Amino acid sequence: MARVTLNIAKAYDDGLIENIEKTKYFQLHKNAASRTDLYCFAIALCEMEEKEPTPISSVGATKSIVRTEFLTNVEPLLSCLYYDKELKDNPENIDNICNRDEVYNLAERCANTGFGILKEYTEHLDEETLFYKLISYMDKRCDEIKDELGEMV
């Protein structure tokens, strides 16, 4: 049976998400960002901080947060994430990219890690500091990409 939802650790839903809704931290609350956007932001934080994706079950109980039917715009992004983490070094397994359960499981693990990072940010970083942290990361990545492209020429 195909998956219907992506999950979040209940501990993050009960504390972090409630706090984001109350404080409107970084405009990630429901009126400003969809749950899919929030989920993708958490995945991006996992990548930005270069943390290892952690099993969602390691935090405890889970709760549904995003219905897979709302992922149509981000499916390619999740597939790219799966390729980068699981298939880049194993091209013989490329057909696994069609296994949505595997792709969604990785997305959940990355989001779980990202929600942990976001929890730390909400407790220790004001929004302006987070903004500059994200800009700094993008500048660094642009420089890395420019260097990679320079090596190819």
Side-chain angles (χ1 to χ4, degrees), residues 3-143:
R3 289 188 58 171
V4 177
T5 63
L6 296 182
N7 299 312
I8 182 174
K10 194 166 180 347
Y12 295 138
D13 185 60
D14 289 345
L16 173 64
I17 304 299
E18 287 176 1
N19 185 41
I20 288 172
E21 289 303 317
K22 186 173 24 171
T23 63
K24 297 179 172 50
Y25 186 79
F26 211 65
Q27 296 297 302
L28 294 169
H29 59 287
K30 275 187 182 176
N31 291 340
S34 71
R35 286 298 177 237
T36 302
D37 293 339
L38 176 60
Y39 210 80
C40 288
F41 187 75
I43 291 170
L45 290 178
C46 176
E47 288 297 295
M48 182 182 91
E49 294 287 344
E50 298 178 354
K51 300 283 186 178
E52 192 64 32
T54 54
I56 197 166
S57 60
S58 68
V59 182
T62 62
K63 183 176 179 182
S64 298
I65 188 169
V66 177
R67 292 186 57 85
T68 57
E69 67 190 74
F70 298 121
L71 296 176
T72 53
N73 293 336
V74 298
E75 283 284 348
L77 184 70
L78 299 180
S79 294
C80 288
L81 176 70
Y82 186 77
Y83 175 82
D84 185 56
K85 295 279 188 196
E86 302 292 332
L87 300 174
K88 183 171 54 178
D89 297 327
N90 301 304
E92 67 278 1
N93 296 331
I94 193 67
D95 289 342
N96 291 351
I97 205 161
C98 296
N99 184 335
R100 299 325 294 162
D101 285 339
E102 288 298 315
V103 172
Y104 293 157
N105 286 339
L106 176 63
E108 279 185 346
R109 292 192 324 266
C110 290
N112 184 55
T113 301
F115 281 117
I117 294 166
L118 185 56
K119 185 176 187 309
E120 288 293 314
Y121 286 177
T122 61
E123 293 171 354
H124 302 292
L125 289 180
D126 61 66
E127 293 177 61
E128 184 176 0
T129 303
L130 176 56
F131 175 78
Y132 286 115
K133 183 178 184 72
L134 295 173
I135 294 294
S136 174
Y137 171 75
M138 287 188 290
D139 286 344
K140 183 179 118 188
R141 284 297 297 144
C142 284
D143 288 343

